[in-house]
Amino acid sequence: MIKGVLFDLDGTLLDRDSSVKKFIHDQYDRLDRHVGHIPKAEYVARFIELDQRGYVWKDKVYQQLIKEYGITGMKWEELLEDYLNDFKFHCVPFPNLTEMLEQLKNHNLTIGMITNGKGQFQFDNIRALGIESYFDRIFISEWEGMKKPDPALFRHALDTLNVQANESVFVGDHPGNDVRAARDVGMRVIWKEDRFWSHADADATVKDLSEIPLLIEELILAR
């Protein structure tokens, strides 16, 4: 019987690609006097390329942008600080996020989150989405001292939530860090389909978050 559901954040609940585009467009406009010599479309595209979907931390991204485009009047540390302070104002949820979490809560399920990233930064983004209260516990890699796909992080989360692996489901978008890692510790896995990967070895696949409650309900009834 399923008693707990755990989620990834970026690419699963948070539409990070849309959020990054929204943020970097706004940053360009706000800092026009420093970056206005760069065509906006080029600045946005190069940031997204260097960011590599969040797998390169922004200190390296901004250092490279300054080097390539001769940005003056702002240091990379100031650009990074702007990112840390302002990204949360541009967070875009995937459709049906709160409705999905509300339905799961109505089933009296334990709900958790395991996400890689900087502690306060990720927590600010979660709060910006307005979903913090739905989770019994949130595990952010920097604060936990380990990161996905480390099985120790998944086991730590399950132990803390007092849920057995075979009684839980993990929902994520990354075939390795989420799907394979969760399966390796004995969890059921739902893959949130992502256009960057063609396949993930999950128990089920969804395109929209609204599909998740019915899948979980079927697992609960199947016992």
Side-chain angles (χ1 to χ4, degrees):
M1 182 175 179
I2 299 303
K3 297 181 180 179
V5 184
L6 285 79
F7 291 89
D8 168 54
L9 177 62
D10 296 320
T12 301
L13 305 179
L14 171 71
D15 184 344
R16 189 182 181 280
D17 293 339
S18 295
S19 301
V20 167
K21 288 177 184 177
K22 187 179 174 187
F23 164 77
I24 201 63
H25 274 273
D26 178 72
Q27 183 181 62
Y28 181 94
D29 291 340
R30 288 186 293 103
L31 303 180
D32 177 74
R33 65 186 181 280
H34 301 295
V35 299
H37 64 287
I38 311 164
K40 185 176 184 179
E42 185 176 345
Y43 181 81
V44 170
R46 187 58 176 145
F47 182 97
I48 291 171
E49 181 182 19
L50 292 169
D51 176 65
Q52 293 185 29
R53 303 197 77 211
Y55 290 98
V56 175
W57 186 234
K58 264 38 74 184
D59 56 351
K60 301 292 190 298
V61 172
Y62 284 120
Q63 287 175 54
Q64 188 64 30
L65 287 173
I66 285 176
K67 180 180 178 181
E68 287 185 17
Y69 294 110
I71 297 171
T72 59
M74 285 194 82
K75 299 178 180 179
W76 69 262
E77 292 93 341
E78 294 172 300
L79 289 167
L80 176 60
E81 189 68 19
D82 183 76
Y83 173 82
L84 292 172
N85 290 335
D86 272 62
F87 186 88
K88 58 181 173 286
F89 300 121
H90 306 280
C91 289
V92 178
F94 279 109
N96 303 305
L97 172 57
T98 55
E99 295 87 346
M100 178 272 294
L101 292 171
E102 192 71 42
Q103 289 181 59
L104 294 184
K105 271 298 184 186
N106 288 339
H107 282 296
N108 295 316
L109 292 162
T110 297
I111 302 179
M113 184 190 298
I114 304 175
T115 178
N116 285 347
K118 302 290 185 181
Q120 193 60 52
F121 179 78
Q122 291 292 67
F123 191 70
D124 287 344
N125 295 340
I126 293 163
R127 295 186 71 177
L129 292 174
I131 59 173
E132 176 193 358
S133 62
Y134 289 102
F135 292 87
D136 295 287
R137 182 73 152 74
I138 294 168
F139 304 86
I140 304 175
S141 63
E142 183 185 47
W143 287 348
E144 302 301 329
M146 43 190 159
K147 63 187 295 188
K148 296 182 297 181
D150 189 343
L153 178 55
F154 288 84
R155 295 192 186 104
H156 168 64
L158 292 168
D159 288 345
T160 303
L161 293 169
N162 196 29
V163 178
Q164 299 297 313
N166 61 2
E167 298 175 335
S168 64
V169 177
F170 191 83
V171 184
D173 70 299
H174 195 288
N177 291 345
D178 295 324
V179 176
R180 190 180 310 116
R183 291 201 74 175
D184 284 348
V185 299
M187 301 175 74
R188 304 278 188 91
V189 185
I190 296 174
W191 180 44
K192 171 67 166 56
E193 194 173 281
D194 189 298
R195 63 187 177 87
F196 284 88
W197 292 285
S198 60
H199 173 74
D201 189 19
D203 297 286
T205 299
V206 298
K207 292 184 177 181
D208 191 283
L209 296 177
S210 63
E211 301 170 61
I212 292 173
L214 180 58
L215 283 173
I216 300 297
E217 187 173 345
E218 290 173 351
L219 290 172
I220 292 172
L221 294 174
R223 295 183 182 274

